[in-house]
Amino acid sequence: MDSGRRGALLVRYDEIGLKGGNRAHFERLLQQNLELALAGAPGLRVQRIRGRVLVRAQADPEQLAQAAARVFGIVSLSSAVETGRSLEEILEAAVERAGRALREEFGGREQVPFRVAANRADKTFPHTSMEVERWLGGRLLEQFPQLAVDLARAQLKVEVDIRHEGVWVFAGRHAGPGGLPVGSMGRALGLLSGGLDSPVAAWLAMRRGLRLELATFYSFPHVGPQFREKALRIGAHLSRWLGRAILHVVPFAAAQEAIRDHCPESYRTVLYRRAMHRIAAQLGRRRRCYAVVTGECLGQVASQTLENLALIEEASDLPVLRPLITYDKQEIIALARRIGTYELSTLPAPDSCTVFQPAAPVIHGKLEEVRAAESALDLQTLTWAAIQGTERLYLPEHR
Ligand code: ATP
Ligand code: MG
């Protein structure tokens, strides 16, 4: 972040449904997550003031706004100029904000309907909000001939927020990413394949307030290092919404080989998934995660019939969350593009799940048959060995 200017962000969140102790927890997390997202901005200060979070730094407010746009829980934010308490100083800030908005959003328009809105939370301020609005409105009209006052249909709204903590002037609001602050709903383990669905599922879970750790099952040498590299790139991209992230790379070849050697071929896909979930649940518990998140979607592939989903989940000791369960492929693709994972997911790389893939996978698997098949395996040892061999990578540093 460059520029010696003193920038501020007024950050708004949805207060509905936030009560009592819950609210303080939520606000604290939002504050921490903003600090993490903006770390590096010189002179950064993130402060809670009634019903808002205030960010200050020696940086351009627009740059701060862009960085804050990946902090879940924010409903909207305004990049503001912090100013002194005299009307002249407020005017100077208002001219700067209005001038910038006119240039960037209304460039060349002959007439722009506008209004000033003042909020005087600090009642010791010597002018009423009405007086501030009238006086400031008049000065801005003199300065910018294209402005025309229209209280009801203003397209440019110059706002002044006068509080004990300071005075801020802003014009316009950016929509925030919505959702709940990461961490406010606890921790979960997101299973990340190289595919399109799992990063979108992880992102939706994060948006809903889950702090995710990520895990990928890596069948080296049956799949090459491009698989690991791809998972790392996707994980690093997702870490932008988390501030930082951990990716567990779990060795999975031994489990797949054992299933190949000792179990009926048609059950391989279901048994791989069960093995993954058995490992994920143990790994998750060690990492204080209370659920596992997958990109499964009803009916998308053979392993995603209701029967097979139930069979897979049965092997997990933790609840399995599937944010995409009812999504259409087109919806998933649109979200992947919006998040920016589409390009990464479509990079060519082998897939651990297709190792020794059966010609005719079972579509409606039966639990008795699964149990019989697994009785030929030493599940405990396989699970334990996979966890012992897991590599823990810190993102985005590992990139
Ligand atoms: P994706 O597009 O996420 O790969 P998919 O539609 O290909 O999903 P499956 O291959 O059945 O579906 O995988 C279902 C889910 O299981 C994935 O979304 C992911 O959460 C998890 N998963 C599959 N393979 C792996 C893997 N190698 N490592 C980690 N998780 C995996
Ligand atoms: Mg896949």
Side-chain angles (χ1 to χ4, degrees), residues 328-343:
D328 287 344
K329 198 73 193 179
Q330 289 313 315
E331 293 171 319
I332 298 171
I333 290 174
L335 256 176
R337 287 192 193 279
R338 185 177 136 205
I339 301 165
T341 52
Y342 183 84
E343 289 71 19

Side-chain angles (χ1 to χ4, degrees), residues 90-390:
I90 292 173
L91 173 62
E92 192 187 327
V95 167
E96 194 275 332
R97 289 284 90 186
R100 182 165 187 151
L102 285 172
R103 268 194 321 278
E104 291 176 3
E105 291 161 47
F106 302 94
R109 282 260 298 273
E110 272 179 24
Q111 215 182 48
V112 177
F114 123 104
R115 69 171 297 182
V116 175
N119 170 41
R120 186 180 62 143
D122 174 6
K123 301 298 178 203
T124 65
F125 188 78
H127 309 279
T128 66
S129 43
M130 187 87 88
E131 285 164 6
V132 174
E133 287 172 4
R134 291 229 174 96
W135 183 81
L136 200 57
R139 299 289 90 71
L140 289 172
L141 285 175
E142 288 167 11
Q143 186 90 24
F144 301 106
Q146 66 271 52
L147 294 179
V149 174
D150 190 334
L151 299 185
R153 280 179 295 275
Q155 287 175 17
L156 173 60
K157 193 164 153 192
V158 175
E159 298 185 63
V160 188
D161 206 349
I162 301 162
R163 296 169 180 251
H164 289 287
E165 297 89 346
V167 177
W168 294 276
V169 178
F170 56 97
R173 295 171 184 219
H174 303 273
L180 298 171
V182 164
S184 62
M185 291 293 121
R187 297 164 52 82
L189 187 67
L191 303 191
L192 203 61
S193 69
L196 203 61
D197 304 329
S198 47
V200 176
W203 185 87
L204 287 169
M206 284 162 10
R207 192 176 68 173
R208 211 50 218 159
L210 289 173
R211 170 159 289 285
L212 289 196
E213 289 197 6
L214 304 168
T216 196
F217 291 84
Y218 179 34
S219 292
F220 185 80
H222 307 299
V223 302
Q226 311 101 293
F227 174 87
R228 182 179 176 281
E229 179 59 20
K230 187 176 177 183
L232 251 136
R233 287 183 71 175
I234 296 174
H237 188 79
L238 289 175
S239 75
R240 299 163 86 182
W241 284 271
L242 290 166
R244 53 176 176 245
I246 288 176
L247 173 65
H248 302 276
V249 181
V250 185
F252 198 53
Q256 288 189 303
E257 286 161 11
I259 291 166
R260 175 197 62 190
D261 294 345
H262 303 291
C263 303
E265 184 178 326
S266 66
Y267 267 97
R268 273 179 201 166
T269 314
V270 168
L271 295 174
Y272 291 168
R273 290 285 188 281
R274 284 174 59 90
M276 276 186 197
H277 276 280
R278 212 171 275 121
I279 299 164
Q282 282 212 20
L283 182 64
R285 284 188 183 283
R286 287 178 182 216
R287 301 294 306 163
R288 292 177 291 113
C289 293
Y290 294 104
V292 171
V293 177
T294 76
E296 284 159 323
C297 175
L298 195 57
Q300 204 183 81
V301 292
S303 59
Q304 296 174 7
T305 60
L306 207 49
E307 289 92 336
N308 286 354
L309 289 175
L311 281 180
I312 292 164
E313 179 162 339
E314 200 270 340
S316 177
D317 254 358
L318 287 177
V320 180
L321 307 182
R322 302 178 175 97
L324 297 178
I325 196 71
T326 61
Y327 278 51
D328 287 344
K329 198 73 193 179
Q330 289 313 315
E331 293 171 319
I332 298 171
I333 290 174
L335 256 176
R337 287 192 193 279
R338 185 177 136 205
I339 301 165
T341 52
Y342 183 84
E343 289 71 19
L344 298 174
S345 290
T346 48
L347 292 171
D351 182 344
S352 295
C353 299
T354 57
V355 172
F356 323 128
Q357 202 175 29
V362 67
I363 308 285
H364 306 286
K366 304 236 169 353
L367 188 58
E368 314 82 71
E369 292 174 11
V370 161
R371 292 248 163 85
E374 286 177 347
S375 68
L377 302 172
D378 182 353
L379 294 175
Q380 270 190 343
T381 304
L382 286 173
T383 305
W384 186 82
I387 289 174
Q388 291 309 304
T390 293

